[in-house]
Amino acid sequence: RSERLENFLMDSSGEPVWSGSYQFDGRSFSLNSSDWAVSRGQREDGLAGLTLEGRFGEGWTFQSVLTSYGILHDETRRTNHNPADPVYDGSGRVSRQDDTWWFSAAFKMGHDSWLGRDDLSGYFGYHLNHYNFDQMEWNSSDYVSGLRDGALRNDQGGVTRQQAVFVQADWNFSSDWTLAPGLRVEQWEARRGRTFQSASDPAFRHPDRRESDFSPKLSLAYEPNSSWQLRASVAQATRY
């Protein structure tokens, strides 16, 4: 909120100046009436999370995490001129985010004796991220009431989603050595993307995209005693 913006720049007669070109102490500078604009904003967010973990069956463990965040209300109003400026007419702009939120989910299961072998443990899981973004801005003839009766100034948004499944095994093939291979398969997509161009051609529609990649990894660990462990790892990861 910046509704108490005050102007202390005065001309030779003691009147505040709001726009134009001026000189002071041998230096020149220019002012725009919009430099003195004021704004007000209101925003409400919601955040929720849930974690479940435990054991079931014979040696199985699981962990799940759910998180959701959303903008319940987000509106910013900005004037074109300062209310104390003689040219102030109540006009401005109104910006809103109406459908902006994200959701994530992660689930993992594991067993210390995988496939019935005491020297083999492993886990697998699933991961999801989903993002919605929507923001629009309009010219307004009435800044105070938030009236959206003018031309569109900005329009951008879209949806992205990422899903992944992964698996990893730990093989203790001797008392001191452990081999751990793993693989992650991901799919990323973007839909309904748009970017504002101009009032006459409001939104550029981006083509939908979908990509998939594999991220393998392998590590070898040597533990001669309880105080030392040496590990060599190699991996290839893709991040969007």
Side-chain angles (χ1 to χ4, degrees):
R1 189 182 181 102
S2 61
E3 290 192 303
R4 298 183 57 84
L5 186 64
E6 299 183 47
N7 184 3
F8 296 99
L9 292 177
M10 308 293 178
D11 59 18
S12 57
S13 61
E15 296 294 325
V17 294
W18 301 96
S19 62
S21 299
Y22 301 92
Q23 288 190 345
F24 177 77
D25 197 20
R27 297 185 178 184
S28 300
F29 63 95
S30 298
L31 295 175
N32 294 316
S33 181
S34 60
D35 295 337
W36 308 96
V38 298
S39 65
R40 64 170 67 174
Q42 183 179 17
R43 176 165 173 163
E44 297 177 7
D45 303 319
L47 177 64
L50 176 66
T51 299
L52 295 174
E53 58 183 21
R55 304 180 67 89
F56 69 96
E58 297 182 0
W60 286 97
T61 62
F62 75 94
Q63 182 183 59
S64 58
V65 180
L66 305 177
T67 306
S68 177
Y69 166 79
I71 296 178
L72 306 179
H73 177 78
D74 185 2
E75 182 178 271
T76 301
R77 306 175 187 177
R78 184 180 185 274
T79 63
N80 290 330
H81 313 283
N82 191 283
D85 190 335
V87 301
Y88 173 75
D89 59 1
S91 64
R93 62 187 70 172
V94 178
S95 175
R96 295 194 63 172
Q97 290 194 67
D98 289 325
D99 189 22
T100 298
W101 55 274
W102 59 255
F103 173 80
S104 67
F107 178 76
K108 182 171 69 173
M109 289 182 59
H111 201 292
D112 292 336
S113 300
W114 207 13
L115 303 177
R117 297 181 52 171
D118 293 336
D119 61 343
L120 186 65
S121 62
Y123 63 87
F124 61 92
Y126 170 78
H127 186 83
L128 167 69
N129 285 331
H130 183 100
Y131 301 90
N132 265 49
F133 175 68
D134 184 272
Q135 185 179 51
M136 302 182 72
E137 185 179 50
W138 300 264
N139 285 328
S140 173
S141 62
D142 187 353
Y143 150 81
V144 176
S145 66
L147 191 64
R148 293 173 286 170
D149 59 345
L152 190 66
R153 295 181 58 96
N154 189 23
D155 181 10
Q156 55 184 339
V159 177
T160 60
R161 177 183 295 175
Q162 181 181 4
Q163 300 183 80
V165 292
F166 56 90
V167 61
Q168 178 174 321
D170 294 338
W171 179 31
N172 301 111
F173 60 90
S174 77
S175 59
D176 300 332
W177 292 88
T178 302
L179 183 68
L183 178 66
R184 181 182 177 98
V185 183
E186 296 179 271
Q187 182 188 80
W188 175 88
E189 61 179 324
R191 298 180 287 110
R192 303 200 303 270
R194 68 187 194 276
T195 303
F196 182 78
Q197 299 294 293
S198 65
S200 59
D201 184 17
F204 173 77
R205 301 289 176 176
H206 297 274
D208 292 349
R209 293 177 56 191
R210 176 177 290 182
E211 298 183 20
S212 299
D213 284 282
F214 295 88
S215 297
K217 68 175 182 178
L218 180 68
S219 69
L220 179 64
Y222 173 63
E223 189 172 353
N225 53 59
S226 59
S227 300
W228 288 90
Q229 183 186 77
L230 303 177
R231 181 183 298 272
S233 301
V234 59
Q236 176 178 304
T238 301
R239 294 292 179 264
Y240 302 102

